[in-house]
């Protein structure tokens, strides 16, 4: 047991770099995976249509034609929360977009990032959804907010598609 505790302490100890050595730490990324009892088409619709997003994505409506190069925006009662550009759209499998958060001053000061939605069939009537949010220069306000908010969003999406009811009332 002592040997395992020593190994754990060694593995978790921070490494020290000499001042002249560049950091090899990669920019942060937030990656989330959830399995949902639904079809790829229904999941795509839930990601791209306000009929669904207003029920799980912090009441946000979403607008876009979802074609590469097109703009999109999430808004609550007309007030923009997120804006961006569709980079790639392969319905119902993959959506990649820039992500420019606007919901408060701290996130609005951050540079836009990238958000990818990957939809894979994971068995009869089940999908695996992987969301990758990257392109952060650092652990910015947007990174911190997304890291906490995306699990709530994905839980709401899963609950809505599997039960027909929103996670929160």
């Amino acid at each position: 047991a002592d040997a395992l505790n020593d190994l754990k302490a060694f593995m978790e100890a921070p490494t020290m770099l000499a001042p002249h050595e560049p950091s090899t730490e990669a920019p942060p990324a937030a990656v989330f995976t959830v399995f949902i009892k639904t079809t790829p088409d229904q999941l795509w619709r839930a990601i791209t249509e306000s009929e669904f997003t207003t029920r799980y994505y912090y009441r946000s409506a979403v607008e876009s034609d979802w074609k590469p190069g097109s703009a999109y925006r999430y808004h609550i009662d007309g007030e923009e929360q997120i804006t961006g550009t569709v980079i790639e759209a392969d319905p119902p499998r993959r959506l990649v977009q820039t992500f420019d958060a606007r919901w408060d001053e701290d996130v609005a000061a951050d540079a836009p990032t990238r958000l990818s939605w990957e939809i894979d069939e994971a068995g009869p009537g089940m999908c695996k959804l992987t969301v990758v949010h990257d392109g952060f220069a650092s652990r910015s306000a947007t990174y911190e907010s997304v890291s906490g908010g995306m699990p709530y969003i994905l839980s709401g999406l899963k609950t809505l598609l599997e039960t027909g009811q929103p996670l929160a009332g």
Side-chain angles (χ1 to χ4, degrees), residues 51-73:
E51 170 188 344
F52 295 93
T53 61
T54 56
R55 298 176 69 199
Y56 74 86
Y57 208 116
Y58 294 104
R59 299 183 346 265
S60 294
V62 65
E63 295 175 1
S64 182
D65 64 10
W66 302 111
K67 294 178 183 173
S70 292
Y72 80 92
R73 74 182 194 122

Side-chain angles (χ1 to χ4, degrees), residues 34-55:
V34 63
F35 290 85
I36 304 173
K37 191 168 187 65
T38 192
T39 65
D41 288 324
Q42 189 70 2
L43 183 50
W44 180 268
R45 287 187 60 222
I47 294 167
T48 61
E49 295 180 15
S50 292
E51 170 188 344
F52 295 93
T53 61
T54 56
R55 298 176 69 199

Side-chain angles (χ1 to χ4, degrees), residues 4 6 8 16-17 22 27-28 30 38 41 47 62 68 93 95 101 103 113 127-130 133 138 154 169:
L4 288 175
D6 290 343
K8 180 179 184 288
M16 298 299 289
L17 297 174
T38 192
D41 288 324
I47 294 167
V62 65
R93 304 282 176 223
L95 177 63
W103 59 81
T113 54
C127 290
K128 175 184 171 187
L129 174 61
T130 304
H133 199 141
S138 65
L154 295 177

